[in-house]
Amino acid sequence: SKSNLYINSPCSERQYGDISAVFKLDCLQPSGSFKDRGISHMITVLKNKEPSVNLLITSSGGNAGHSVALTGKKLGIPVHVYVPITTKQLMIDKIKRQGAEVFIGGANWNEADTFARKELSITPTARYIPPFDNELLWEGHATIVDELVESFGHTNPPDAIVVSVGGGGLLCGIQQGLQRNGWGDVSILAVETDGAHSFSLAKANNHVVALDKITSIASSLGALAVTSATLNSNIKTISIVVSDKQAVDACINFANDQRMLVEPACGAALSLIYIDELRQRFLEGSYKKIVIVVCGGSAVSLELLNQWSQSLSS
């Protein structure tokens, strides 16, 4: 059951001139991000299909790892999380606090993932939970749109939904949710930071192109390549790239306005509302009613926000 694995997240509303902005507050999910939707769905499906599964293995030093740890704890399944050496101590501590075992190794996510798959290959009763590239995850993330349909009414869709893109799991979920609810005319504004712009690159080339490396501070958007499924949707999906500074400033403006902390990865989407220049350029005159998915993220603190802000101002 969905029970306590994720919540139907509340919305907050703000008016900016002609634009009515509805914030879908997935930062309030149990693990701090939208990931709980897809991950709890995937783990529940696996558990029902194969009750003998007694270990979950994942490779994410970020919000996916944190979500698998928390969901596994709630369902009584042990969790091993493999993270690269670049992972923030803050996140390692949070993941351990959920009772998961954390293994640190590898220069980046891809290397940590290799270690994870090694353990998987010798542990028949273990199952692998990927951070973003799986249809069960997208199916779970699509519940965001189900809830919006429920709260807006089916005949009252927004003009657009604004969403941050990292590996594309959330984007695929929103695309799917719009399709399955008959909201196919709603546009998606898919926002990334410069230096983690793998969707923008894929869209410009009509196929997936990998970045050489991630140079953005929005580490949760740091997939070198977006999942190709993001390009297969009939939903109008517009790619927008913003700067790290705009994303961090948006986090600060959002925190001052709505009293919640989110990662710069989430600030990317928020910047279309909270940075005047971007709001004027991308929203004003084009959309009357928009939804911003506040995807959240736990790798943030007041201290980190201030550090990022100072390093980007200099």
Side-chain angles (χ1 to χ4, degrees), residues 237-305:
T237 306
I238 298 156
S239 167
I240 295 173
V241 178
V242 302
S243 70
D244 276 357
K245 183 171 172 21
Q246 289 170 326
V248 169
D249 287 349
C251 290
I252 292 169
N253 295 348
F254 173 75
N256 287 332
D257 180 32
Q258 305 205 28
R259 305 163 313 284
M260 289 179 267
L261 291 186
V262 295
E263 286 184 29
C266 178
L270 293 171
S271 70
L272 294 200
I273 279 289
Y274 283 102
I275 305 297
D276 295 344
E277 178 204 334
L278 296 176
R279 190 173 68 246
Q280 287 154 9
R281 187 169 150 204
F282 293 111
L283 302 181
E284 281 177 16
S286 303
Y287 308 104
K288 284 261 189 282
K289 181 179 186 180
I290 64 162
V291 171
I292 299 96
V293 178
V294 185
C295 48
S298 295
V300 63
S301 63
L302 281 175
E303 192 188 349
L304 279 169
L305 260 188

Coordinates of all heavy atoms in Angstrom, one line a residue, residues 237-305:
T237 N 7.7 19.4 -24.8 CA 8.7 19.6 -23.7 C 9.8 20.5 -24.1 O 10.5 20.3 -25.1 CB 9.4 18.2 -23.3 OG1 8.3 17.2 -23.0 CG2 10.3 18.3 -22.1
I238 N 9.9 21.7 -23.4 CA 10.8 22.8 -23.8 C 12.0 22.7 -22.9 O 11.8 22.7 -21.6 CB 10.0 24.1 -23.7 CG1 8.8 24.1 -24.6 CG2 11.0 25.3 -23.9 CD1 7.7 25.1 -24.2
S239 N 13.2 22.8 -23.4 CA 14.4 22.7 -22.6 C 14.9 24.1 -22.3 O 14.9 25.0 -23.2 CB 15.5 22.0 -23.4 OG 16.7 22.2 -22.8
I240 N 15.2 24.4 -21.0 CA 15.7 25.7 -20.6 C 16.9 25.4 -19.7 O 16.9 24.5 -18.8 CB 14.6 26.4 -19.8 CG1 13.4 26.8 -20.7 CG2 15.2 27.7 -19.1 CD1 12.2 27.4 -19.9
V241 N 18.0 26.2 -20.0 CA 19.2 26.1 -19.2 C 19.4 27.4 -18.4 O 19.4 28.4 -19.0 CB 20.4 25.7 -20.1 CG1 21.7 25.7 -19.2 CG2 20.2 24.4 -20.8
V242 N 19.7 27.2 -17.1 CA 19.9 28.4 -16.3 C 21.3 28.3 -15.6 O 21.9 27.2 -15.7 CB 18.8 28.6 -15.2 CG1 17.4 28.7 -15.8 CG2 18.9 27.4 -14.1
S243 N 21.8 29.4 -15.0 CA 23.1 29.3 -14.4 C 23.0 28.8 -13.0 O 22.0 28.8 -12.4 CB 23.7 30.7 -14.4 OG 23.0 31.6 -13.5
D244 N 24.2 28.3 -12.5 CA 24.2 27.9 -11.1 C 23.8 29.0 -10.2 O 23.1 28.8 -9.2 CB 25.7 27.5 -10.7 CG 26.0 26.1 -11.1 OD1 25.1 25.4 -11.6 OD2 27.2 25.6 -10.9
K245 N 24.3 30.2 -10.5 CA 23.9 31.4 -9.6 C 22.4 31.6 -9.6 O 21.8 31.9 -8.5 CB 24.6 32.6 -10.1 CG 24.4 33.9 -9.2 CD 25.3 35.0 -9.6 CE 24.9 36.3 -8.8 NZ 24.2 36.2 -7.6
Q246 N 21.8 31.5 -10.7 CA 20.3 31.7 -10.8 C 19.6 30.6 -9.9 O 18.7 30.9 -9.2 CB 19.8 31.7 -12.2 CG 20.2 32.9 -13.0 CD 20.0 32.8 -14.5 OE1 20.1 31.8 -15.1 NE2 19.6 34.0 -15.1
A247 N 20.1 29.4 -10.0 CA 19.5 28.3 -9.3 C 19.7 28.5 -7.7 O 18.7 28.3 -7.0 CB 20.1 26.9 -9.7
V248 N 20.9 28.9 -7.3 CA 21.1 29.1 -5.9 C 20.4 30.3 -5.4 O 19.8 30.3 -4.3 CB 22.7 29.3 -5.6 CG1 22.9 29.8 -4.2 CG2 23.4 28.0 -5.9
D249 N 20.3 31.4 -6.2 CA 19.6 32.6 -5.8 C 18.1 32.2 -5.6 O 17.4 32.7 -4.7 CB 19.7 33.7 -6.8 CG 21.1 34.4 -6.7 OD1 21.8 34.1 -5.7 OD2 21.4 35.2 -7.6
A250 N 17.6 31.4 -6.5 CA 16.2 30.9 -6.4 C 15.9 30.1 -5.2 O 14.9 30.3 -4.5 CB 15.8 30.1 -7.7
C251 N 16.9 29.3 -4.8 CA 16.8 28.5 -3.5 C 16.6 29.5 -2.3 O 15.8 29.3 -1.4 CB 18.0 27.6 -3.3 SG 18.1 26.2 -4.4
I252 N 17.4 30.6 -2.3 CA 17.4 31.5 -1.3 C 16.1 32.3 -1.3 O 15.5 32.5 -0.2 CB 18.7 32.5 -1.4 CG1 19.9 31.6 -1.1 CG2 18.6 33.7 -0.4 CD1 21.2 32.4 -1.4
N253 N 15.7 32.8 -2.4 CA 14.4 33.5 -2.5 C 13.2 32.7 -2.1 O 12.3 33.1 -1.5 CB 14.2 34.0 -4.0 CG 15.3 35.1 -4.3 OD1 16.0 35.6 -3.5 ND2 15.4 35.4 -5.6
F254 N 13.3 31.4 -2.5 CA 12.2 30.4 -2.2 C 12.2 30.2 -0.6 O 11.2 30.2 0.0 CB 12.4 29.1 -2.9 CG 11.5 28.0 -2.5 CD1 10.2 28.0 -2.9 CD2 12.0 26.9 -1.7 CE1 9.3 26.9 -2.5 CE2 11.1 25.9 -1.3 CZ 9.8 25.9 -1.7
A255 N 13.4 30.1 -0.1 CA 13.5 29.9 1.4 C 13.0 31.1 2.1 O 12.2 30.9 3.1 CB 15.0 29.6 1.8
N256 N 13.3 32.3 1.7 CA 12.8 33.5 2.3 C 11.3 33.6 2.2 O 10.6 34.1 3.1 CB 13.5 34.7 1.7 CG 14.9 34.8 2.2 OD1 15.3 34.4 3.3 ND2 15.8 35.4 1.4
D257 N 10.8 33.2 1.0 CA 9.3 33.3 0.7 C 8.5 32.2 1.4 O 7.5 32.5 2.0 CB 9.1 33.3 -0.8 CG 7.7 33.4 -1.2 OD1 6.9 34.1 -0.5 OD2 7.3 32.9 -2.2
Q258 N 9.0 31.0 1.3 CA 8.2 29.8 1.7 C 8.8 29.1 2.9 O 8.2 28.0 3.3 CB 7.9 28.9 0.5 CG 7.2 29.6 -0.7 CD 6.4 28.7 -1.6 OE1 5.9 27.7 -1.1 NE2 6.3 29.1 -2.8
R259 N 9.9 29.5 3.4 CA 10.5 29.0 4.6 C 10.9 27.5 4.5 O 10.7 26.8 5.5 CB 9.6 29.2 5.8 CG 9.2 30.7 6.0 CD 8.0 31.0 6.8 NE 6.9 30.1 6.5 CZ 6.1 30.2 5.5 NH1 6.2 31.2 4.6 NH2 5.1 29.4 5.3
M260 N 11.4 27.1 3.4 CA 11.9 25.7 3.2 C 13.2 25.7 2.4 O 13.4 26.6 1.6 CB 10.8 24.9 2.4 CG 9.6 24.6 3.2 SD 8.4 23.7 2.2 CE 7.4 25.1 1.5
L261 N 14.1 24.8 2.8 CA 15.3 24.6 2.1 C 15.3 23.5 1.0 O 14.8 22.4 1.3 CB 16.5 24.3 3.1 CG 16.9 25.3 4.1 CD1 18.1 24.7 4.8 CD2 17.3 26.6 3.4
V262 N 15.8 23.8 -0.2 CA 15.9 22.8 -1.2 C 17.2 22.9 -1.9 O 17.9 24.0 -1.8 CB 14.8 22.9 -2.3 CG1 13.4 22.7 -1.7 CG2 14.8 24.3 -2.9
E263 N 17.6 21.9 -2.6 CA 18.9 21.9 -3.3 C 18.9 22.8 -4.5 O 17.8 23.0 -5.1 CB 19.3 20.4 -3.7 CG 19.7 19.5 -2.7 CD 20.1 18.1 -3.3 OE1 20.5 18.1 -4.4 OE2 19.9 17.1 -2.6
P264 N 20.1 23.2 -5.0 CA 20.2 23.9 -6.2 C 19.6 23.1 -7.4 O 19.1 23.8 -8.3 CB 21.7 24.1 -6.4 CG 22.3 24.1 -5.1 CD 21.4 23.2 -4.3
A265 N 19.6 21.8 -7.3 CA 19.0 21.0 -8.4 C 17.5 21.4 -8.5 O 17.0 21.4 -9.6 CB 19.2 19.5 -8.1
C266 N 16.9 21.6 -7.4 CA 15.5 22.0 -7.4 C 15.4 23.5 -7.7 O 14.4 23.9 -8.3 CB 14.9 21.7 -6.0 SG 13.2 22.2 -5.7
G267 N 16.4 24.3 -7.3 CA 16.4 25.7 -7.6 C 16.3 26.0 -9.1 O 15.9 27.0 -9.5
A268 N 16.8 25.0 -9.9 CA 16.8 25.2 -11.3 C 15.3 25.5 -11.8 O 15.0 26.5 -12.5 CB 17.3 24.0 -12.0
A269 N 14.4 24.6 -11.3 CA 13.0 24.8 -11.7 C 12.4 26.1 -11.0 O 11.7 26.9 -11.7 CB 12.1 23.6 -11.2
L270 N 12.8 26.3 -9.8 CA 12.2 27.5 -9.0 C 12.7 28.8 -9.7 O 12.0 29.8 -9.5 CB 12.7 27.4 -7.6 CG 12.2 26.3 -6.7 CD1 12.9 26.3 -5.4 CD2 10.7 26.5 -6.5
S271 N 13.8 28.8 -10.4 CA 14.4 30.0 -10.9 C 13.5 30.7 -11.9 O 13.5 31.9 -12.1 CB 15.8 29.8 -11.5 OG 15.7 29.0 -12.7
L272 N 12.6 29.9 -12.6 CA 11.7 30.5 -13.6 C 10.7 31.4 -12.9 O 10.1 32.3 -13.6 CB 11.0 29.4 -14.4 CG 11.9 28.5 -15.3 CD1 11.0 27.9 -16.4 CD2 13.0 29.3 -16.0
I273 N 10.5 31.2 -11.6 CA 9.6 32.1 -10.9 C 10.3 33.1 -10.1 O 10.0 34.3 -10.0 CB 8.6 31.2 -10.0 CG1 7.5 30.7 -10.8 CG2 8.1 32.1 -8.8 CD1 6.4 31.7 -11.2
Y274 N 11.4 32.6 -9.4 CA 12.0 33.4 -8.4 C 13.2 34.3 -8.9 O 13.7 35.1 -8.2 CB 12.5 32.6 -7.2 CG 11.4 32.2 -6.3 CD1 10.9 30.9 -6.3 CD2 10.9 33.1 -5.4 CE1 9.8 30.5 -5.5 CE2 9.9 32.7 -4.5 CZ 9.3 31.4 -4.6 OH 8.3 31.1 -3.8
I275 N 13.5 34.2 -10.2 CA 14.4 35.1 -10.8 C 13.7 36.0 -11.8 O 13.2 35.4 -12.8 CB 15.6 34.4 -11.5 CG1 16.3 33.4 -10.5 CG2 16.6 35.4 -12.1 CD1 17.0 34.1 -9.3
D276 N 13.5 37.3 -11.6 CA 12.7 38.1 -12.4 C 13.0 38.0 -13.9 O 12.0 37.9 -14.7 CB 12.8 39.6 -11.9 CG 12.3 39.8 -10.5 OD1 11.6 38.9 -10.0 OD2 12.6 40.8 -9.9
E277 N 14.2 38.1 -14.2 CA 14.7 38.1 -15.6 C 14.2 36.8 -16.3 O 13.7 36.8 -17.4 CB 16.2 38.1 -15.6 CG 16.8 38.1 -17.0 CD 18.3 37.6 -16.9 OE1 18.9 37.8 -15.8 OE2 18.8 37.1 -17.9
L278 N 14.3 35.7 -15.6 CA 13.8 34.4 -16.2 C 12.3 34.3 -16.3 O 11.8 33.8 -17.3 CB 14.4 33.2 -15.4 CG 15.9 33.0 -15.4 CD1 16.3 31.9 -14.5 CD2 16.5 32.8 -16.8
R279 N 11.7 34.8 -15.3 CA 10.2 34.8 -15.3 C 9.7 35.6 -16.5 O 8.8 35.2 -17.2 CB 9.6 35.4 -14.0 CG 8.1 35.1 -13.8 CD 7.6 35.5 -12.5 NE 7.7 36.9 -12.2 CZ 8.5 37.5 -11.3 NH1 9.3 36.8 -10.5 NH2 8.5 38.8 -11.2
Q280 N 10.3 36.8 -16.7 CA 9.9 37.7 -17.8 C 10.1 37.0 -19.1 O 9.3 37.1 -20.0 CB 10.6 39.0 -17.7 CG 10.0 39.9 -16.5 CD 11.0 40.9 -16.0 OE1 12.1 41.1 -16.6 NE2 10.7 41.6 -14.9
R281 N 11.3 36.4 -19.2 CA 11.7 35.8 -20.5 C 10.9 34.6 -20.9 O 10.5 34.4 -22.0 CB 13.2 35.5 -20.4 CG 13.8 35.1 -21.7 CD 15.3 35.0 -21.7 NE 15.8 34.0 -22.6 CZ 17.0 33.4 -22.5 NH1 17.7 33.7 -21.5 NH2 17.3 32.5 -23.3
F282 N 10.7 33.7 -19.9 CA 10.1 32.4 -20.3 C 8.6 32.2 -19.9 O 8.0 31.3 -20.5 CB 10.9 31.2 -19.6 CG 12.3 31.1 -20.1 CD1 13.4 31.5 -19.3 CD2 12.5 30.7 -21.4 CE1 14.7 31.3 -19.8 CE2 13.8 30.5 -21.9 CZ 14.9 30.9 -21.1
L283 N 8.1 33.0 -19.0 CA 6.7 32.7 -18.5 C 5.7 33.8 -18.9 O 4.6 33.6 -19.4 CB 6.7 32.5 -17.0 CG 7.5 31.4 -16.5 CD1 7.4 31.3 -14.9 CD2 7.2 30.0 -17.1
E284 N 6.1 35.1 -18.7 CA 5.2 36.2 -18.9 C 4.7 36.3 -20.3 O 5.5 36.2 -21.2 CB 5.8 37.5 -18.4 CG 5.8 37.6 -16.9 CD 6.5 38.9 -16.4 OE1 6.7 39.8 -17.2 OE2 6.8 38.9 -15.2
G285 N 3.4 36.4 -20.5 CA 2.8 36.5 -21.8 C 2.6 35.1 -22.4 O 1.8 35.0 -23.4
S286 N 3.2 34.1 -21.9 CA 3.0 32.7 -22.5 C 2.1 31.9 -21.7 O 1.4 31.0 -22.2 CB 4.4 32.0 -22.6 OG 5.3 32.8 -23.4
Y287 N 2.1 32.0 -20.4 CA 1.4 31.1 -19.5 C 0.6 31.9 -18.4 O 1.2 32.8 -17.8 CB 2.3 30.1 -18.8 CG 3.2 29.3 -19.8 CD1 4.6 29.7 -19.9 CD2 2.7 28.3 -20.6 CE1 5.4 29.0 -20.8 CE2 3.5 27.7 -21.5 CZ 4.9 28.0 -21.6 OH 5.7 27.3 -22.5
K288 N -0.6 31.5 -18.2 CA -1.4 32.1 -17.1 C -1.3 31.3 -15.8 O -1.2 31.8 -14.7 CB -2.8 32.2 -17.5 CG -3.1 33.3 -18.5 CD -3.7 34.5 -17.8 CE -4.2 35.5 -18.8 NZ -3.1 36.3 -19.4
K289 N -1.3 30.0 -16.0 CA -1.3 29.1 -14.8 C -0.3 28.0 -14.9 O -0.3 27.2 -15.9 CB -2.7 28.5 -14.6 CG -2.9 27.6 -13.4 CD -4.3 27.0 -13.3 CE -4.5 26.2 -12.0 NZ -5.8 25.7 -12.0
I290 N 0.7 28.0 -14.0 CA 1.7 27.0 -14.1 C 1.9 26.3 -12.7 O 1.5 26.8 -11.7 CB 3.1 27.6 -14.5 CG1 3.6 28.6 -13.4 CG2 3.0 28.3 -15.8 CD1 5.0 28.9 -13.5
V291 N 2.4 25.1 -12.9 CA 2.8 24.3 -11.7 C 4.3 24.1 -11.7 O 4.9 23.9 -12.7 CB 2.1 22.9 -11.7 CG1 2.7 22.0 -10.6 CG2 0.6 22.9 -11.6
I292 N 4.9 24.4 -10.5 CA 6.3 24.1 -10.3 C 6.4 22.9 -9.4 O 5.9 22.9 -8.3 CB 7.1 25.3 -9.7 CG1 6.9 26.6 -10.6 CG2 8.5 25.0 -9.5 CD1 5.8 27.5 -10.2
V293 N 7.1 21.9 -9.9 CA 7.4 20.7 -9.1 C 8.6 21.0 -8.2 O 9.7 21.2 -8.7 CB 7.6 19.4 -9.9 CG1 7.9 18.3 -9.0 CG2 6.4 19.1 -10.8
V294 N 8.3 21.2 -6.9 CA 9.4 21.4 -5.9 C 10.0 20.1 -5.5 O 9.5 19.5 -4.5 CB 8.9 22.3 -4.7 CG1 10.0 22.6 -3.8 CG2 8.2 23.5 -5.2
C295 N 10.9 19.6 -6.3 CA 11.4 18.2 -6.2 C 12.2 18.0 -4.9 O 12.3 16.8 -4.4 CB 12.1 17.8 -7.4 SG 13.4 18.9 -7.9
G296 N 12.7 19.0 -4.3 CA 13.3 18.9 -3.0 C 14.8 18.6 -3.0 O 15.6 19.2 -3.7
G297 N 15.2 17.6 -2.2 CA 16.6 17.2 -2.1 C 17.1 17.5 -0.7 O 16.9 18.5 -0.1
S298 N 17.9 16.5 -0.2 CA 18.4 16.6 1.2 C 19.8 17.1 1.3 O 20.3 17.4 2.4 CB 18.3 15.3 1.9 OG 17.0 14.8 2.0
A299 N 20.6 17.3 0.2 CA 22.0 17.7 0.3 C 22.1 19.2 0.4 O 22.6 19.8 -0.5 CB 22.7 17.1 -0.9
V300 N 21.5 19.8 1.4 CA 21.4 21.2 1.6 C 21.3 21.6 3.0 O 20.8 20.8 3.8 CB 20.2 21.8 0.8 CG1 18.9 21.3 1.3 CG2 20.3 23.3 0.7
S301 N 21.9 22.7 3.4 CA 21.8 23.3 4.7 C 22.0 24.8 4.6 O 22.4 25.3 3.5 CB 22.9 22.7 5.6 OG 24.2 23.1 5.1
L302 N 21.7 25.5 5.6 CA 21.8 27.0 5.6 C 23.3 27.3 5.2 O 23.6 28.2 4.4 CB 21.5 27.6 6.9 CG 20.0 27.8 7.2 CD1 19.8 28.4 8.6 CD2 19.4 28.8 6.2
E303 N 24.2 26.5 5.9 CA 25.6 26.8 5.7 C 26.0 26.6 4.2 O 26.7 27.4 3.6 CB 26.4 25.8 6.6 CG 27.9 26.2 6.8 CD 28.6 25.1 7.6 OE1 27.9 24.2 8.2 OE2 29.8 25.1 7.5
L304 N 25.6 25.4 3.7 CA 25.9 25.1 2.3 C 25.3 26.2 1.3 O 26.0 26.7 0.4 CB 25.4 23.8 1.9 CG 26.2 22.6 2.3 CD1 25.4 21.3 2.1 CD2 27.5 22.5 1.5
L305 N 24.1 26.6 1.5 CA 23.5 27.6 0.7 C 24.3 28.9 0.7 O 24.6 29.5 -0.3 CB 22.0 27.9 1.1 CG 20.9 27.3 0.4 CD1 19.6 27.9 0.9 CD2 21.0 27.5 -1.1

